[in-house]
Amino acid sequence: MLKITSLVKRYGAGDPVLKDLDLEVPGEEVVSVIGSSGAGKSTLLRCINRLVEPTSGKIFLNGTDFTSLGKRELRVGRRRIGMVFQSFNLVDRLTVMENVQSGRLGYISTWAALSRRYPKEDIRRAYELMERVGIAHYANKRADELSGGERQRVGVIRALMQQPEILLADEPTASLDPKTSEQIMTLLRDLARELKLPVIINIHNVNEAKEFSDRIVGMRYGRIIFDDLPDALTKDAMHEIYAGVPHEDRQMEGAAA
């Protein structure tokens, strides 16, 4: 379980980007975080894995206080948090297998990584996961030869190779066409069930959030102002989350952000 209490993130002397935020996410649950640009969605995800340092507050993952970890402990702790990025973050000149194996860098020696001598068990696991998402036949292809949807599948498998206890996805469908976006969201939802893995998705597309999530968290100005089932996301709730943002702009955000 992820438990966040009184989380604050401030840059410089300005207003906090996150304001005294509380959130709990149990296992197997897909939680979509929605809100207009600048609401604090990406900052929230980056605070969880401490790509951004929280100003104050606590972040617990299965009982471990991630905000108290030192540098060495944090390097080990980050193996427990998988991250899927909007821009895929693949190394184009490397093969799919090599990109997937980068998810194991926290577990193998530097020599093994540089020489690409991956443990047999890691190779077997990689093929299993790639087969699960339909990209095993691309194992030896360079990443820059793949489509956007295929590249994002590689990103998902790379994160799962960490054997994470939670999966964070920062706008994972923003660079994809509508059909491929639905496929990726379906994949994330199904993997959460199969692996008993909590998944938090920062997403602009409200329709996708409602269709593929167990729960929706709505943010505005660094605060959570909605936290409920997708069916509870009424027009009034949408207005509160997106007050001042025209409806058509919300849909454009979902297609392009």
Side-chain angles (χ1 to χ4, degrees), residues 14-240:
D15 290 337
V17 179
L18 300 177
K19 304 173 182 177
D20 204 32
L21 187 147
D22 296 323
L23 180 66
E24 289 190 11
V25 181
E28 299 182 54
E29 189 171 67
V30 177
V31 176
S32 284
V33 183
I34 64 172
S36 59
S37 297
K41 305 185 301 298
S42 291
T43 300
L44 170 61
L45 263 61
R46 283 163 168 75
C47 279
I48 292 171
N49 60 15
R50 283 184 58 188
L51 289 176
V52 168
E53 287 294 336
T55 302
S56 62
K58 296 290 185 181
I59 300 171
F60 295 92
L61 179 60
N62 294 329
T64 299
D65 179 5
F66 267 67
T67 57
S68 68
L69 298 181
K71 288 184 178 180
R72 181 174 297 181
E73 295 171 315
L74 182 59
R75 283 197 296 271
V76 175
R78 280 198 179 118
R79 300 188 306 201
R80 300 165 59 185
I81 302 176
M83 187 80 178
V84 178
F85 300 90
Q86 173 185 345
S87 56
F88 316 130
N89 280 23
L90 305 182
V91 180
D92 286 343
R93 62 182 176 81
L94 297 184
T95 67
V96 168
M97 175 60 78
E98 289 166 340
N99 272 283
V100 164
Q101 290 296 334
S102 68
R104 299 298 295 170
L105 292 181
Y107 294 88
I108 64 177
S109 70
T110 301
W111 178 86
L114 292 175
S115 61
R116 300 174 189 174
R117 294 179 180 273
Y118 310 117
K120 291 182 179 180
E121 177 60 25
D122 289 352
I123 295 174
R124 183 195 63 79
R125 176 62 172 162
Y127 272 116
E128 285 181 355
L129 290 170
M130 288 192 290
E131 186 71 35
R132 166 63 183 82
V133 304
I135 60 170
H137 55 297
Y138 292 144
N140 295 317
K141 290 191 71 171
R142 281 174 50 126
D144 57 7
E145 298 179 53
L146 306 182
S147 69
E150 291 162 351
R151 288 165 68 85
Q152 193 57 286
R153 285 176 173 83
V154 176
V156 171
I157 298 308
R158 177 185 57 195
L160 293 180
M161 285 294 291
Q162 297 177 214
Q163 297 180 300
E165 296 171 27
I166 190 169
L167 188 63
L168 309 179
D170 192 10
E171 300 183 28
T173 64
S175 302
L176 306 177
D177 62 77
K179 181 178 179 180
T180 307
S181 295
E182 290 187 3
Q183 293 171 347
I184 294 298
M185 291 296 289
T186 300
L187 176 64
L188 291 172
R189 180 188 62 191
D190 292 349
L191 288 171
R193 305 288 189 274
E194 293 170 20
L195 302 176
K196 302 185 185 305
L197 190 68
V199 178
I200 304 178
I201 304 172
N202 166 16
I203 188 169
H204 278 296
N205 192 308
V206 176
N207 291 331
E208 287 183 358
K210 293 181 70 172
E211 181 176 358
F212 295 102
S213 307
D214 300 304
R215 177 175 151 210
I216 293 178
V217 169
M219 293 184 64
R220 187 179 182 203
Y221 300 142
R223 299 185 187 278
I224 292 176
I225 61 172
F226 178 89
D227 187 349
D228 211 329
L229 300 176
D231 288 345
L233 189 64
T234 62
K235 289 183 178 180
D236 287 343
M238 286 281 290
H239 177 75
E240 186 176 1

